[in-house]
mmCIF file of all heavy atoms in Angstrom:
data_model
loop_
_atom_site.group_PDB
_atom_site.id
_atom_site.type_symbol
_atom_site.label_atom_id
_atom_site.label_comp_id
_atom_site.label_asym_id
_atom_site.label_seq_id
_atom_site.Cartn_x
_atom_site.Cartn_y
_atom_site.Cartn_z
ATOM 1 N N LEU A 1 -6.992 17.493 -17.324
ATOM 2 C CA LEU A 1 -6.275 18.676 -16.810
ATOM 3 C C LEU A 1 -6.178 19.716 -17.939
ATOM 4 O O LEU A 1 -6.434 20.897 -17.676
ATOM 5 C CB LEU A 1 -4.871 18.320 -16.361
ATOM 6 C CG LEU A 1 -4.134 19.301 -15.639
ATOM 7 C CD1 LEU A 1 -4.770 19.890 -14.391
ATOM 8 C CD2 LEU A 1 -2.786 18.764 -15.233
ATOM 9 N N ARG A 2 -5.800 19.333 -19.156
ATOM 10 C CA ARG A 2 -5.666 20.263 -20.267
ATOM 11 C C ARG A 2 -7.141 20.869 -20.635
ATOM 12 O O ARG A 2 -7.210 21.965 -21.002
ATOM 13 C CB ARG A 2 -5.218 19.651 -21.496
ATOM 14 C CG ARG A 2 -3.658 19.253 -21.378
ATOM 15 C CD ARG A 2 -3.118 18.853 -22.668
ATOM 16 N NE ARG A 2 -3.584 17.640 -23.279
ATOM 17 C CZ ARG A 2 -3.234 16.451 -23.035
ATOM 18 N NH1 ARG A 2 -2.190 16.214 -22.172
ATOM 19 N NH2 ARG A 2 -3.683 15.364 -23.625
ATOM 20 N N LYS A 3 -8.176 19.979 -20.456
ATOM 21 C CA LYS A 3 -9.557 20.482 -20.609
ATOM 22 C C LYS A 3 -9.933 21.587 -19.877
ATOM 23 O O LYS A 3 -10.642 22.474 -20.335
ATOM 24 C CB LYS A 3 -10.476 19.266 -20.630
ATOM 25 C CG LYS A 3 -11.722 19.400 -21.297
ATOM 26 C CD LYS A 3 -12.533 18.042 -21.313
ATOM 27 C CE LYS A 3 -13.837 18.272 -22.074
ATOM 28 N NZ LYS A 3 -14.668 17.018 -22.019
ATOM 29 N N GLN A 4 -9.499 21.694 -18.555
ATOM 30 C CA GLN A 4 -9.741 22.770 -17.782
ATOM 31 C C GLN A 4 -8.765 23.805 -17.691
ATOM 32 O O GLN A 4 -8.829 24.671 -16.871
ATOM 33 C CB GLN A 4 -10.079 22.248 -16.214
ATOM 34 C CG GLN A 4 -8.959 21.851 -15.452
ATOM 35 C CD GLN A 4 -9.257 21.557 -14.019
ATOM 36 O OE1 GLN A 4 -10.243 20.953 -13.663
ATOM 37 N NE2 GLN A 4 -8.481 22.028 -13.118
ATOM 38 N N LYS A 5 -7.712 23.691 -18.613
ATOM 39 C CA LYS A 5 -6.645 24.747 -18.732
ATOM 40 C C LYS A 5 -5.927 24.862 -17.533
ATOM 41 O O LYS A 5 -5.568 25.977 -17.068
ATOM 42 C CB LYS A 5 -7.235 25.987 -19.256
ATOM 43 C CG LYS A 5 -7.946 25.974 -20.605
ATOM 44 C CD LYS A 5 -8.495 27.391 -21.063
ATOM 45 C CE LYS A 5 -9.327 27.232 -22.294
ATOM 46 N NZ LYS A 5 -8.645 26.479 -23.409
ATOM 47 N N GLY A 6 -5.476 23.678 -16.892
ATOM 48 C CA GLY A 6 -4.742 23.689 -15.674
ATOM 49 C C GLY A 6 -3.383 22.932 -15.767
ATOM 50 O O GLY A 6 -3.285 22.226 -16.884
ATOM 51 N N CYS A 7 -2.577 23.160 -14.831
ATOM 52 C CA CYS A 7 -1.373 22.352 -14.779
ATOM 53 C C CYS A 7 -1.143 21.759 -13.338
ATOM 54 O O CYS A 7 -1.647 22.552 -12.385
ATOM 55 C CB CYS A 7 -0.111 23.183 -15.208
ATOM 56 S SG CYS A 7 -0.135 23.634 -17.002
ATOM 57 N N CYS A 8 -0.532 20.717 -13.138
ATOM 58 C CA CYS A 8 -0.406 20.120 -11.846
ATOM 59 C C CYS A 8 1.096 20.244 -11.337
ATOM 60 O O CYS A 8 1.968 20.185 -12.198
ATOM 61 C CB CYS A 8 -0.926 18.736 -11.688
ATOM 62 S SG CYS A 8 0.084 17.552 -12.714
ATOM 63 N N ASN A 9 1.292 20.452 -9.994
ATOM 64 C CA ASN A 9 2.637 20.388 -9.459
ATOM 65 C C ASN A 9 2.974 19.012 -8.894
ATOM 66 O O ASN A 9 4.124 18.896 -8.700
ATOM 67 C CB ASN A 9 2.688 21.515 -8.416
ATOM 68 C CG ASN A 9 2.738 22.887 -8.970
ATOM 69 O OD1 ASN A 9 3.780 23.266 -9.545
ATOM 70 N ND2 ASN A 9 1.697 23.663 -8.877
ATOM 71 N N LYS A 10 1.978 18.242 -8.568
ATOM 72 C CA LYS A 10 2.315 17.012 -7.893
ATOM 73 C C LYS A 10 1.385 15.895 -8.473
ATOM 74 O O LYS A 10 0.399 16.141 -9.053
ATOM 75 C CB LYS A 10 1.927 17.035 -6.316
ATOM 76 C CG LYS A 10 2.699 18.096 -5.617
ATOM 77 C CD LYS A 10 2.246 18.167 -4.236
ATOM 78 C CE LYS A 10 2.920 19.245 -3.337
ATOM 79 N NZ LYS A 10 2.405 19.277 -1.969
ATOM 80 N N ILE A 11 2.015 14.606 -8.331
ATOM 81 C CA ILE A 11 1.212 13.477 -8.816
ATOM 82 C C ILE A 11 1.398 12.430 -7.778
ATOM 83 O O ILE A 11 2.429 12.151 -7.220
ATOM 84 C CB ILE A 11 1.801 12.966 -10.134
ATOM 85 C CG1 ILE A 11 0.958 11.857 -10.620
ATOM 86 C CG2 ILE A 11 3.266 12.526 -10.006
ATOM 87 C CD1 ILE A 11 1.261 11.366 -12.111
ATOM 88 N N THR A 12 0.277 11.700 -7.459
ATOM 89 C CA THR A 12 0.211 10.525 -6.499
ATOM 90 C C THR A 12 -0.257 9.324 -7.246
ATOM 91 O O THR A 12 -1.133 9.353 -8.071
ATOM 92 C CB THR A 12 -0.732 10.890 -5.350
ATOM 93 O OG1 THR A 12 -0.293 11.951 -4.618
ATOM 94 C CG2 THR A 12 -0.960 9.609 -4.470
ATOM 95 N N VAL A 13 0.385 8.264 -7.006
ATOM 96 C CA VAL A 13 0.142 6.972 -7.682
ATOM 97 C C VAL A 13 -0.124 5.953 -6.463
ATOM 98 O O VAL A 13 0.640 5.940 -5.509
ATOM 99 C CB VAL A 13 1.187 6.457 -8.646
ATOM 100 C CG1 VAL A 13 0.899 4.936 -9.110
ATOM 101 C CG2 VAL A 13 1.338 7.403 -9.842
ATOM 102 N N PHE A 14 -1.198 5.188 -6.543
ATOM 103 C CA PHE A 14 -1.437 4.236 -5.596
ATOM 104 C C PHE A 14 -1.851 2.876 -6.167
ATOM 105 O O PHE A 14 -2.352 2.829 -7.204
ATOM 106 C CB PHE A 14 -2.551 4.725 -4.563
ATOM 107 C CG PHE A 14 -3.938 4.839 -5.197
ATOM 108 C CD1 PHE A 14 -4.875 3.818 -5.154
ATOM 109 C CD2 PHE A 14 -4.370 6.179 -5.754
ATOM 110 C CE1 PHE A 14 -6.063 3.977 -5.824
ATOM 111 C CE2 PHE A 14 -5.582 6.269 -6.314
ATOM 112 C CZ PHE A 14 -6.473 5.209 -6.347
ATOM 113 N N LEU A 15 -1.753 1.777 -5.332
ATOM 114 C CA LEU A 15 -2.084 0.378 -5.696
ATOM 115 C C LEU A 15 -2.829 -0.117 -4.467
ATOM 116 O O LEU A 15 -2.527 0.185 -3.335
ATOM 117 C CB LEU A 15 -0.939 -0.378 -5.953
ATOM 118 C CG LEU A 15 -0.023 -0.077 -7.171
ATOM 119 C CD1 LEU A 15 1.223 -0.822 -7.168
ATOM 120 C CD2 LEU A 15 -0.788 -0.386 -8.468
ATOM 121 N N ASN A 16 -3.849 -0.956 -4.808
ATOM 122 C CA ASN A 16 -4.554 -1.651 -3.749
ATOM 123 C C ASN A 16 -4.754 -3.117 -3.972
ATOM 124 O O ASN A 16 -5.092 -3.445 -5.207
ATOM 125 C CB ASN A 16 -6.032 -1.169 -3.463
ATOM 126 C CG ASN A 16 -6.051 0.302 -2.928
ATOM 127 O OD1 ASN A 16 -4.998 0.713 -2.365
ATOM 128 N ND2 ASN A 16 -7.044 1.045 -3.059
ATOM 129 N N THR A 17 -4.453 -3.956 -3.059
ATOM 130 C CA THR A 17 -4.833 -5.286 -3.222
ATOM 131 C C THR A 17 -6.296 -5.628 -2.923
ATOM 132 O O THR A 17 -7.006 -4.728 -2.487
ATOM 133 C CB THR A 17 -3.947 -6.307 -2.364
ATOM 134 O OG1 THR A 17 -3.987 -5.766 -1.079
ATOM 135 C CG2 THR A 17 -2.556 -6.318 -2.835
ATOM 136 N N ASN A 18 -6.794 -6.851 -3.167
ATOM 137 C CA ASN A 18 -8.259 -7.169 -2.932
ATOM 138 C C ASN A 18 -8.410 -7.407 -1.517
ATOM 139 O O ASN A 18 -7.992 -8.521 -0.964
ATOM 140 C CB ASN A 18 -8.666 -8.364 -3.814
ATOM 141 C CG ASN A 18 -10.060 -8.559 -3.940
ATOM 142 O OD1 ASN A 18 -10.853 -8.072 -2.945
ATOM 143 N ND2 ASN A 18 -10.454 -9.143 -4.902
ATOM 144 N N ARG A 19 -9.137 -6.624 -0.752
ATOM 145 C CA ARG A 19 -9.409 -6.651 0.642
ATOM 146 C C ARG A 19 -10.382 -7.765 0.939
ATOM 147 O O ARG A 19 -10.402 -8.277 2.163
ATOM 148 C CB ARG A 19 -9.878 -5.329 1.248
ATOM 149 C CG ARG A 19 -11.145 -4.788 0.618
ATOM 150 C CD ARG A 19 -11.463 -3.313 1.186
ATOM 151 N NE ARG A 19 -12.616 -2.877 0.621
ATOM 152 C CZ ARG A 19 -13.875 -2.960 1.117
ATOM 153 N NH1 ARG A 19 -14.037 -3.570 2.207
ATOM 154 N NH2 ARG A 19 -14.863 -2.423 0.442
ATOM 155 N N PHE A 20 -11.109 -8.285 -0.036
ATOM 156 C CA PHE A 20 -12.027 -9.386 0.189
ATOM 157 C C PHE A 20 -11.363 -10.679 0.210
ATOM 158 O O PHE A 20 -11.979 -11.699 0.599
ATOM 159 C CB PHE A 20 -13.162 -9.324 -0.848
ATOM 160 C CG PHE A 20 -14.038 -8.129 -0.711
ATOM 161 C CD1 PHE A 20 -13.962 -7.034 -1.643
ATOM 162 C CD2 PHE A 20 -14.948 -7.961 0.295
ATOM 163 C CE1 PHE A 20 -14.841 -6.043 -1.559
ATOM 164 C CE2 PHE A 20 -15.827 -6.925 0.409
ATOM 165 C CZ PHE A 20 -15.765 -5.902 -0.548
ATOM 166 N N LYS A 21 -10.105 -10.843 -0.366
ATOM 167 C CA LYS A 21 -9.344 -11.968 -0.414
ATOM 168 C C LYS A 21 -8.315 -12.035 0.750
ATOM 169 O O LYS A 21 -7.268 -11.602 0.639
ATOM 170 C CB LYS A 21 -8.692 -12.140 -1.729
ATOM 171 C CG LYS A 21 -9.603 -12.366 -2.889
ATOM 172 C CD LYS A 21 -8.868 -12.594 -4.162
ATOM 173 C CE LYS A 21 -9.870 -12.811 -5.349
ATOM 174 N NZ LYS A 21 -9.173 -13.050 -6.576
ATOM 175 N N LYS A 22 -8.910 -12.506 1.931
ATOM 176 C CA LYS A 22 -8.057 -12.436 3.212
ATOM 177 C C LYS A 22 -6.901 -13.272 3.151
ATOM 178 O O LYS A 22 -5.882 -12.920 3.825
ATOM 179 C CB LYS A 22 -9.035 -12.752 4.377
ATOM 180 C CG LYS A 22 -10.302 -11.948 4.456
ATOM 181 C CD LYS A 22 -10.058 -10.539 4.783
ATOM 182 C CE LYS A 22 -11.278 -9.786 5.026
ATOM 183 N NZ LYS A 22 -11.095 -8.286 5.194
ATOM 184 N N ASN A 23 -6.894 -14.349 2.324
ATOM 185 C CA ASN A 23 -5.832 -15.319 2.254
ATOM 186 C C ASN A 23 -4.571 -14.753 1.523
ATOM 187 O O ASN A 23 -3.515 -15.275 1.607
ATOM 188 C CB ASN A 23 -6.264 -16.632 1.705
ATOM 189 C CG ASN A 23 -7.287 -17.287 2.587
ATOM 190 O OD1 ASN A 23 -7.312 -17.166 3.884
ATOM 191 N ND2 ASN A 23 -8.170 -18.010 2.039
ATOM 192 N N ASN A 24 -4.753 -13.708 0.675
ATOM 193 C CA ASN A 24 -3.779 -13.148 -0.171
ATOM 194 C C ASN A 24 -3.129 -12.020 0.756
ATOM 195 O O ASN A 24 -3.684 -11.438 1.638
ATOM 196 C CB ASN A 24 -4.287 -12.439 -1.369
ATOM 197 C CG ASN A 24 -4.847 -13.626 -2.382
ATOM 198 O OD1 ASN A 24 -4.713 -14.806 -2.062
ATOM 199 N ND2 ASN A 24 -5.381 -13.076 -3.350
ATOM 200 N N GLY A 25 -1.788 -11.862 0.337
ATOM 201 C CA GLY A 25 -1.115 -10.699 0.948
ATOM 202 C C GLY A 25 -1.629 -9.349 0.730
ATOM 203 O O GLY A 25 -2.180 -9.062 -0.407
#
């Protein structure tokens, strides 16, 4: 972001479990 001389107003954080492991939650 600093490299393109910009600033952000929002931030999103996400998590994903392993969709190939069907037995896991």
Side-chain angles (χ1 to χ4, degrees):
L1 188 57
R2 291 193 296 273
K3 201 171 180 181
Q4 75 169 44
K5 301 186 186 306
C7 290
C8 66
N9 284 287
K10 299 178 181 179
I11 183 171
T12 296
V13 174
F14 66 86
L15 295 171
N16 290 339
T17 49
N18 194 335
R19 60 189 176 90
F20 293 108
K21 294 184 178 179
K22 304 296 184 182
N23 296 329
N24 291 355

